[in-house]
């Protein structure tokens, strides 16, 4: 589902490079695909690792890309709520130490999906805590993560800290009272 163009093609839009319109061209916009691979990579296929939920069916939704607008978030959280069990949201506001979050309409769409989705069983919304931990940011400023309707997830090193054994610091994960799950992650050297 493409929440930006409102069609069935969730592929990123790739436009011919135009130096006057560089905001339209981002060939590295693959984060969602990479995270989907970590979640749903097939097991026992002799190609590499196994996803954390290797039997999951992945539903691609294009939301974070050029041309994004507020209604796209509402459309995303209302999309196929009778079929989707869990959403993974590894995106967030691009601000550091500032308060940001969903509009009233966006929050209502999330709320409705957890109360009415899947015939009343609800849709579970997982949100990455953020990417600015190295700057002292906290998920407490993020209204998407800091919501009663979502589950905040962060990353830690093998020993549960942000300081890695190799002397580097895992700087991107954010902490905060809204984080419910912490899982091992790699270091950023």
């Amino acid at each position: 589902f493409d929440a930006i163009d409102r069609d069935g093609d969730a592929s990123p839009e790739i436009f011919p490079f135009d130096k006057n319109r560089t905001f339209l061209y981002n060939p590295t916009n693959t984060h969602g695909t990479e995270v989907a691979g970590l979640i749903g990579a097939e097991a026992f296929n002799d190609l590499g690792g196994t996803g954390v939920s290797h039997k999951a069916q992945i539903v691609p939704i294009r939301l974070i890309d050029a041309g994004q607008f507020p209604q796209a978030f509402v459309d995303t959280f209302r999309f196929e709520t009778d079929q989707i069990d869990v959403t993974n949201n590894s995106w967030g506001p691009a601000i550091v130490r500032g308060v940001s979050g969903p509009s009233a309409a966006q929050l209502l769409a999330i709320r409705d999906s957890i109360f009415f989705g899947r015939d009343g069983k609800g849709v579970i919304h997982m949100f990455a805590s953020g990417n600015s931990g190295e700057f002292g940011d906290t998920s407490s400023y993020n209204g998407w993560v800091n919501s009663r309707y979502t589950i905040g997830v962060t990353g830690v090193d093998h020993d549960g800290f942000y300081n890695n054994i190799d002397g580097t610091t895992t700087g991107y994960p954010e902490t905060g009272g809204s984080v419910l799950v912490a899982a091992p992650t790699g270091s950023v050297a």
Side-chain angles (χ1 to χ4, degrees), residues 12 14 25-32 34:
I14 302 296
Y25 182 76
N26 186 357
T28 63
N29 191 5
T30 59
H31 182 70
E34 293 164 2

PDB file of all heavy atoms in Angstrom, residues 12 14 25-32 34:
ATOM      1  N   PRO A  12       9.561   2.454  -3.368  1.00  0.00           N
ATOM      2  CA  PRO A  12      10.002   3.856  -3.282  1.00  0.00           C
ATOM      3  C   PRO A  12       9.972   4.502  -4.656  1.00  0.00           C
ATOM      4  O   PRO A  12      10.232   3.856  -5.668  1.00  0.00           O
ATOM      5  CB  PRO A  12      11.444   3.762  -2.766  1.00  0.00           C
ATOM      6  CG  PRO A  12      11.588   2.398  -2.218  1.00  0.00           C
ATOM      7  CD  PRO A  12      10.593   1.527  -2.922  1.00  0.00           C
ATOM      8  N   ILE A  14      11.520   6.529  -7.447  1.00  0.00           N
ATOM      9  CA  ILE A  14      12.849   6.911  -7.916  1.00  0.00           C
ATOM     10  C   ILE A  14      12.652   7.799  -9.139  1.00  0.00           C
ATOM     11  O   ILE A  14      12.118   7.376 -10.158  1.00  0.00           O
ATOM     12  CB  ILE A  14      13.702   5.683  -8.287  1.00  0.00           C
ATOM     13  CG1 ILE A  14      13.834   4.741  -7.101  1.00  0.00           C
ATOM     14  CG2 ILE A  14      15.066   6.109  -8.806  1.00  0.00           C
ATOM     15  CD1 ILE A  14      14.573   5.317  -5.907  1.00  0.00           C
ATOM     16  N   TYR A  25      14.847  12.589  -4.980  1.00  0.00           N
ATOM     17  CA  TYR A  25      15.700  11.469  -5.348  1.00  0.00           C
ATOM     18  C   TYR A  25      16.455  10.969  -4.128  1.00  0.00           C
ATOM     19  O   TYR A  25      17.320  11.656  -3.604  1.00  0.00           O
ATOM     20  CB  TYR A  25      16.686  11.922  -6.427  1.00  0.00           C
ATOM     21  CG  TYR A  25      17.582  10.816  -6.917  1.00  0.00           C
ATOM     22  CD1 TYR A  25      17.101   9.853  -7.787  1.00  0.00           C
ATOM     23  CD2 TYR A  25      18.902  10.731  -6.499  1.00  0.00           C
ATOM     24  CE1 TYR A  25      17.909   8.840  -8.247  1.00  0.00           C
ATOM     25  CE2 TYR A  25      19.722   9.711  -6.953  1.00  0.00           C
ATOM     26  CZ  TYR A  25      19.223   8.768  -7.827  1.00  0.00           C
ATOM     27  OH  TYR A  25      20.015   7.762  -8.275  1.00  0.00           O
ATOM     28  N   ASN A  26      16.111   9.792  -3.651  1.00  0.00           N
ATOM     29  CA  ASN A  26      16.807   9.223  -2.511  1.00  0.00           C
ATOM     30  C   ASN A  26      16.947   7.720  -2.724  1.00  0.00           C
ATOM     31  O   ASN A  26      16.155   6.932  -2.208  1.00  0.00           O
ATOM     32  CB  ASN A  26      16.057   9.521  -1.210  1.00  0.00           C
ATOM     33  CG  ASN A  26      16.832   9.061   0.000  1.00  0.00           C
ATOM     34  OD1 ASN A  26      17.905   8.478  -0.116  1.00  0.00           O
ATOM     35  ND2 ASN A  26      16.287   9.318   1.172  1.00  0.00           N
ATOM     36  N   PRO A  27      17.966   7.305  -3.484  1.00  0.00           N
ATOM     37  CA  PRO A  27      18.119   5.871  -3.767  1.00  0.00           C
ATOM     38  C   PRO A  27      18.525   5.057  -2.541  1.00  0.00           C
ATOM     39  O   PRO A  27      18.489   3.840  -2.577  1.00  0.00           O
ATOM     40  CB  PRO A  27      19.225   5.847  -4.831  1.00  0.00           C
ATOM     41  CG  PRO A  27      19.997   7.093  -4.587  1.00  0.00           C
ATOM     42  CD  PRO A  27      18.993   8.111  -4.102  1.00  0.00           C
ATOM     43  N   THR A  28      18.872   5.710  -1.442  1.00  0.00           N
ATOM     44  CA  THR A  28      19.254   4.982  -0.227  1.00  0.00           C
ATOM     45  C   THR A  28      18.085   4.832   0.737  1.00  0.00           C
ATOM     46  O   THR A  28      18.266   4.392   1.858  1.00  0.00           O
ATOM     47  CB  THR A  28      20.425   5.688   0.486  1.00  0.00           C
ATOM     48  OG1 THR A  28      19.995   6.987   0.906  1.00  0.00           O
ATOM     49  CG2 THR A  28      21.628   5.801  -0.426  1.00  0.00           C
ATOM     50  N   ASN A  29      16.898   5.190   0.320  1.00  0.00           N
ATOM     51  CA  ASN A  29      15.725   5.117   1.187  1.00  0.00           C
ATOM     52  C   ASN A  29      15.233   3.674   1.257  1.00  0.00           C
ATOM     53  O   ASN A  29      14.192   3.328   0.724  1.00  0.00           O
ATOM     54  CB  ASN A  29      14.627   6.048   0.662  1.00  0.00           C
ATOM     55  CG  ASN A  29      13.510   6.197   1.661  1.00  0.00           C
ATOM     56  OD1 ASN A  29      13.578   5.694   2.778  1.00  0.00           O
ATOM     57  ND2 ASN A  29      12.465   6.887   1.253  1.00  0.00           N
ATOM     58  N   THR A  30      16.029   2.829   1.929  1.00  0.00           N
ATOM     59  CA  THR A  30      15.724   1.403   1.984  1.00  0.00           C
ATOM     60  C   THR A  30      15.560   0.904   3.410  1.00  0.00           C
ATOM     61  O   THR A  30      15.505  -0.305   3.634  1.00  0.00           O
ATOM     62  CB  THR A  30      16.852   0.603   1.308  1.00  0.00           C
ATOM     63  OG1 THR A  30      18.078   0.876   1.998  1.00  0.00           O
ATOM     64  CG2 THR A  30      16.997   0.968  -0.157  1.00  0.00           C
ATOM     65  N   HIS A  31      15.495   1.794   4.378  1.00  0.00           N
ATOM     66  CA  HIS A  31      15.452   1.391   5.776  1.00  0.00           C
ATOM     67  C   HIS A  31      14.291   0.442   6.063  1.00  0.00           C
ATOM     68  O   HIS A  31      14.460  -0.566   6.746  1.00  0.00           O
ATOM     69  CB  HIS A  31      15.380   2.622   6.680  1.00  0.00           C
ATOM     70  CG  HIS A  31      15.383   2.293   8.132  1.00  0.00           C
ATOM     71  ND1 HIS A  31      16.501   1.805   8.782  1.00  0.00           N
ATOM     72  CD2 HIS A  31      14.411   2.364   9.068  1.00  0.00           C
ATOM     73  CE1 HIS A  31      16.217   1.603  10.048  1.00  0.00           C
ATOM     74  NE2 HIS A  31      14.950   1.930  10.254  1.00  0.00           N
ATOM     75  N   GLY A  32      13.114   0.745   5.554  1.00  0.00           N
ATOM     76  CA  GLY A  32      11.958  -0.117   5.802  1.00  0.00           C
ATOM     77  C   GLY A  32      12.157  -1.522   5.263  1.00  0.00           C
ATOM     78  O   GLY A  32      11.801  -2.512   5.906  1.00  0.00           O
ATOM     79  N   GLU A  34      15.082  -2.990   4.813  1.00  0.00           N
ATOM     80  CA  GLU A  34      16.102  -3.634   5.647  1.00  0.00           C
ATOM     81  C   GLU A  34      15.496  -4.156   6.946  1.00  0.00           C
ATOM     82  O   GLU A  34      15.781  -5.280   7.370  1.00  0.00           O
ATOM     83  CB  GLU A  34      17.238  -2.648   5.926  1.00  0.00           C
ATOM     84  CG  GLU A  34      18.022  -2.285   4.678  1.00  0.00           C
ATOM     85  CD  GLU A  34      18.882  -1.058   4.859  1.00  0.00           C
ATOM     86  OE1 GLU A  34      18.914  -0.480   5.964  1.00  0.00           O
ATOM     87  OE2 GLU A  34      19.535  -0.662   3.880  1.00  0.00           O
TER      88      GLU A  34
END
